[in-house]
Amino acid sequence: MQILTFYERQRIEYYRRLHIGIRDIGRRMKRHHSDIVRELRRNTVAGERYNAVKAQTKADRRATRTNKRKLETDELLHDFVESELKKGWSPELIAGRLRGDDAPPHLHGATVSHEQIYEYIYDGPGRYEGWYHHLVRKHRHRHQKRGRKPHKALIPELVPITLRPDIVEQRERFGDWESDQMQFYKQTERLSVQYERKGMLTRLHRVTNKTAAENERAIIKTLEPFPEEYQQSMTFDRGSENTCHTKIRDAFRMDTFFCAAYAAWQKGGVENTIGLLRRHLPKKMDIATLTDDQLHTIQERLNDRPRKKLNYKTPNEVLRASLGGALNS
């Protein structure tokens, strides 16, 4: 892309005030429309109309800086990162994918760390481009992670997580699950979420309320399609819906463990999964309006999302390789 001149920026401002479309502006200026889009995105002051003088000032300021970020100097890398963020990929996934064999051919050898991406989003031009909107939690500023507080309940035959074998902690085998529920604003209907620790697979099932019976039904639907070696253990928080754990334990001959009170972060895999699901299932959504097919589509978006801990493979790819065939959904 050739650098725009001040005269060209004046023309863009004039055409925009006439409400002429981006592609039409590109044709009139004999520029590709993506050049116009990029100019408007990078040099428009937030909340204001495009102004040629202000745009030129911003461009001049960037041109005089010597400590430019990669995403400011490499347009191809910039556009790739932006497109992947819009798909819902995290900066960690984007950075990892670039380092792997699946990087786009036109970016062969180009790298950027996830911290550089976050820095661009929060401290660089990404602030004005609104990139934080594409992050999972859409925070304007970086937030520290905090675990959600579970409810206390009297759990029969509770086994604390401190007694969970190291093999579960180290993710050395398939079949160790974590379970939780997603709630929605002023609704009794919920989603029961199960997460497999090694393969990072997600399963979603609708439950009509928070009762243990409903939660038991959902967990059974998750576990039944899998062979016995995928039914090793389940980790819960201390919510009342998990008093069904003895029935799950006995039916599948699997171990069950419980986080400490107010320490849901001890089952961080499913907690993080719920955070990712909130992109598609915000708390104020009316969950009753979603069909089962739509919920399945959302579930598979997560299962087809590359994960850093899986060497940037997807959960579905890892589980298929392990099972030697297609997964039952």
Side-chain angles (χ1 to χ4, degrees):
M1 168 186 166
Q2 292 182 339
I3 297 174
L4 289 168
T5 64
F6 180 53
Y7 173 64
E8 287 178 307
R9 290 190 168 100
Q10 288 177 311
R11 290 182 66 186
I12 292 174
E13 179 183 354
Y14 173 71
Y15 292 141
R16 291 295 287 170
R17 290 183 183 276
L18 294 179
H19 303 290
I20 295 174
I22 300 293
R23 291 180 182 273
D24 197 8
I25 293 175
R27 284 191 288 268
R28 294 181 184 214
M29 295 178 60
K30 297 183 179 178
R31 288 271 195 173
H32 194 274
H33 70 274
S34 64
D35 293 347
I36 311 302
V37 171
R38 188 178 294 108
E39 169 64 18
L40 293 172
R41 183 183 60 210
R42 299 190 74 188
N43 293 325
T44 300
V45 177
E48 298 182 10
R49 283 183 177 181
Y50 178 82
N51 180 285
V53 174
K54 292 181 179 179
Q56 188 66 41
T57 300
K58 289 184 69 176
D60 290 343
R61 190 182 301 124
R62 281 198 304 271
T64 57
R65 282 180 50 207
T66 57
N67 60 336
K68 292 182 181 179
R69 300 172 177 88
K70 283 186 180 181
L71 293 174
E72 293 180 72
T73 58
D74 190 329
E75 295 286 354
L76 291 176
L77 185 60
H78 173 282
D79 291 348
F80 171 77
V81 171
E82 182 178 33
S83 69
E84 301 311 293
L85 284 172
K86 288 180 177 178
K87 291 179 184 177
W89 288 24
S90 70
E92 288 85 353
L93 293 182
I94 297 169
R97 203 74 166 185
L98 279 170
R99 292 193 300 269
D101 297 333
D102 297 319
H106 68 284
L107 290 175
H108 181 70
T111 60
V112 62
S113 72
H114 68 276
E115 279 299 329
Q116 287 176 312
I117 298 174
Y118 278 120
E119 184 180 294
Y120 185 87
I121 292 172
Y122 290 115
D123 299 318
R127 291 178 300 169
Y128 309 108
E129 298 173 33
W131 279 17
Y132 71 90
H133 288 293
H134 306 310
L135 298 176
V136 171
R137 291 171 178 81
K138 301 180 174 61
H139 291 153
R140 285 180 176 271
H141 309 283
R142 295 188 78 168
H143 287 205
Q144 290 185 342
K145 293 182 179 180
R146 294 180 175 87
R148 299 189 308 149
K149 291 187 177 181
H151 296 289
K152 288 184 177 179
L154 184 62
I155 308 292
E157 302 179 43
L158 179 151
V159 179
I161 198 170
T162 53
L163 298 181
R164 196 171 68 174
D166 289 341
I167 193 173
V168 181
E169 184 66 29
Q170 300 302 322
R171 303 172 186 264
E172 294 178 1
R173 67 183 182 189
F174 290 104
D176 294 307
W177 298 81
E178 297 174 358
S179 180
D180 204 350
Q181 287 194 353
M182 290 180 70
Q183 57 183 328
F184 297 86
Y185 187 63
K186 292 185 177 180
Q187 297 170 66
T188 57
E189 191 169 9
R190 296 175 165 220
L191 288 179
S192 182
V193 184
Q194 278 71 54
Y195 167 86
E196 199 281 323
R197 287 178 56 82
K198 181 175 174 65
M200 305 183 79
L201 192 76
T202 300
R203 286 291 182 259
L204 294 179
H205 295 290
R206 197 190 303 265
V207 292
T208 57
N209 52 50
K210 194 188 174 182
T211 61
E214 277 291 285
N215 200 39
E216 177 190 350
R217 179 185 59 80
I219 294 173
I220 289 173
K221 288 178 70 175
T222 288
L223 295 175
E224 275 187 335
F226 289 91
E228 287 186 12
E229 58 266 30
Y230 283 79
Q231 302 164 0
Q232 301 286 348
S233 74
M234 183 80 71
T235 301
F236 302 91
D237 61 37
R238 301 197 180 195
S240 60
E241 71 276 13
N242 296 321
T243 55
C244 65
H245 81 99
T246 53
K247 295 181 179 179
I248 299 296
R249 180 196 65 192
D250 296 341
F252 294 96
R253 297 195 296 276
M254 65 193 305
D255 298 320
T256 56
F257 303 98
F258 284 81
C259 302
Y262 305 113
W265 53 267
Q266 291 178 334
K267 52 179 181 58
V270 72
E271 294 286 321
N272 182 62
T273 295
I274 288 175
L276 295 173
L277 286 168
R278 285 298 182 194
R279 176 187 289 272
H280 311 288
L281 301 166
K283 214 164 201 175
K284 292 187 177 180
M285 166 181 276
D286 182 359
I287 191 67
T289 63
L290 283 181
T291 66
D292 290 342
D293 286 343
Q294 288 172 320
L295 282 176
H296 183 266
T297 297
I298 292 170
Q299 169 188 288
E300 292 310 295
R301 283 181 185 171
L302 260 65
N303 292 328
D304 289 325
R305 187 176 188 266
R307 302 298 182 97
K308 181 178 180 180
K309 289 181 179 177
L310 300 179
N311 241 2
Y312 302 100
K313 300 297 183 183
T314 71
N316 274 341
E317 289 170 344
V318 170
L319 267 291
R320 286 192 186 104
S322 174
L323 288 170
L327 286 171
N328 294 320
S329 299

